[in-house]
Amino acid sequence: MSEQEIREGMLLAVWDEPPLDFDPDTLIRRVEQKKSRRRALVGVGVATAMIAVASLALPGLLPRDRDSQLGADGQTSSSAPPTEAYDKKLQRIGDTLVEKLALTMPNVKETYSDFRTGGFNYPMPGMTSVPMSSQVRKPSDPQFTGYVFLTDEIGPTSLRVEGAKVEFSTKNFCVGSVSCHEIQQKDGSVVTEAEFTDGTPEITRAEAVRSFPSGFRVRIASYSYNPASGLGSRQTVPARVGVLTTLVTDPQVDWE
């Protein structure tokens, strides 16, 4: 129904009545004002909703620049080395040790390494010396363990290697050894090397520990068995302590 029809209907409805203070035009204007007000309120509500949706979607659309506040909020700080980068570093360490071992002991063959982040989950069989003492390392400190595998004239075996920031007691380490002494290095680190017979006529265990001023320590050990499997018993160790010291002090290896 048009506005003109509404106006004529109202006039007909009051045609025979006494004159009243009634103006259909005024009524129509009031109705139109209410309709306009409702449309305006609806428009405001829609606009408000759109702004709310846009504000929620905005952080995902904006580039998370490293210097922006949004980028900073999404970053977490940690002093722990990135896993991928540290794994590659361990691979380089292993490869360098394999090359050094081949040069130091030309009689060995089939040498390769397997290093991983973290510590050993179980004590090695035959380990009677005091291990790298009570842990003082933080979760963010680097730590690795692994083996350098080799095959000599007797058969396949391995050297055990581990590195971590731990406490170390030379006195405890040397208990039961047939020889144990420290060698000062030019960079301030100290190598403690020892050999053990464990009650037998031959050397059954040789170990070299390099202690850095930071508290990080690297330990390389050789046993009269294969420490990677606990098998392969032999009369003596495949590598004496002099070889282990050569490996742990190789200037090409970045231990820390």
Side-chain angles (χ1 to χ4, degrees), residues 4 10 29 43 46 48-49 53 61 68 71 85-86 104 134 140 148 154 188-189 204 224-225 234 246-248 250:
Q4 182 64 30
M10 290 180 177
R29 283 196 300 271
V46 171
T48 302
V53 171
L61 298 176
S68 67
Y86 197 64
T104 308
S134 58
S140 59
V148 175
I154 297 177
S189 64
T204 57
S224 58
Y225 63 91
R234 53 176 66 203
T246 299
L247 295 178
V248 81
D250 188 343

Side-chain angles (χ1 to χ4, degrees), residues 108-184:
V108 301
K109 56 183 179 179
E110 298 176 0
T111 55
Y112 64 96
S113 63
D114 182 17
F115 284 13
R116 302 177 183 179
T117 57
F120 286 112
N121 295 324
Y122 56 91
M124 301 305 298
M127 176 72 82
T128 56
S129 68
V130 178
M132 292 182 80
S133 210
S134 58
Q135 296 289 330
V136 295
R137 63 181 300 275
K138 301 176 181 179
S140 59
D141 291 333
Q143 182 183 29
F144 70 88
T145 52
Y147 302 94
V148 175
F149 295 90
L150 62 101
T151 299
D152 57 11
E153 60 275 4
I154 297 177
T157 187
S158 65
L159 308 178
R160 170 175 159 163
V161 186
E162 56 185 318
K165 183 175 288 188
V166 292
E167 293 179 350
F168 178 75
S169 170
T170 302
K171 179 180 179 181
N172 293 335
F173 175 73
C174 294
V175 171
S177 65
V178 295
S179 65
C180 186
H181 59 278
E182 296 181 341
I183 305 174
Q184 187 72 40

Side-chain angles (χ1 to χ4, degrees), residues 196-229:
F196 306 81
T197 59
D198 297 322
T200 68
E202 302 291 338
I203 300 297
T204 57
R205 180 159 43 94
E207 302 188 34
V209 178
R210 186 176 181 182
S211 303
F212 292 90
S214 64
F216 189 81
R217 292 179 171 85
V218 181
R219 182 178 189 170
I220 303 182
S222 177
Y223 302 92
S224 58
Y225 63 91
N226 187 349
S229 62

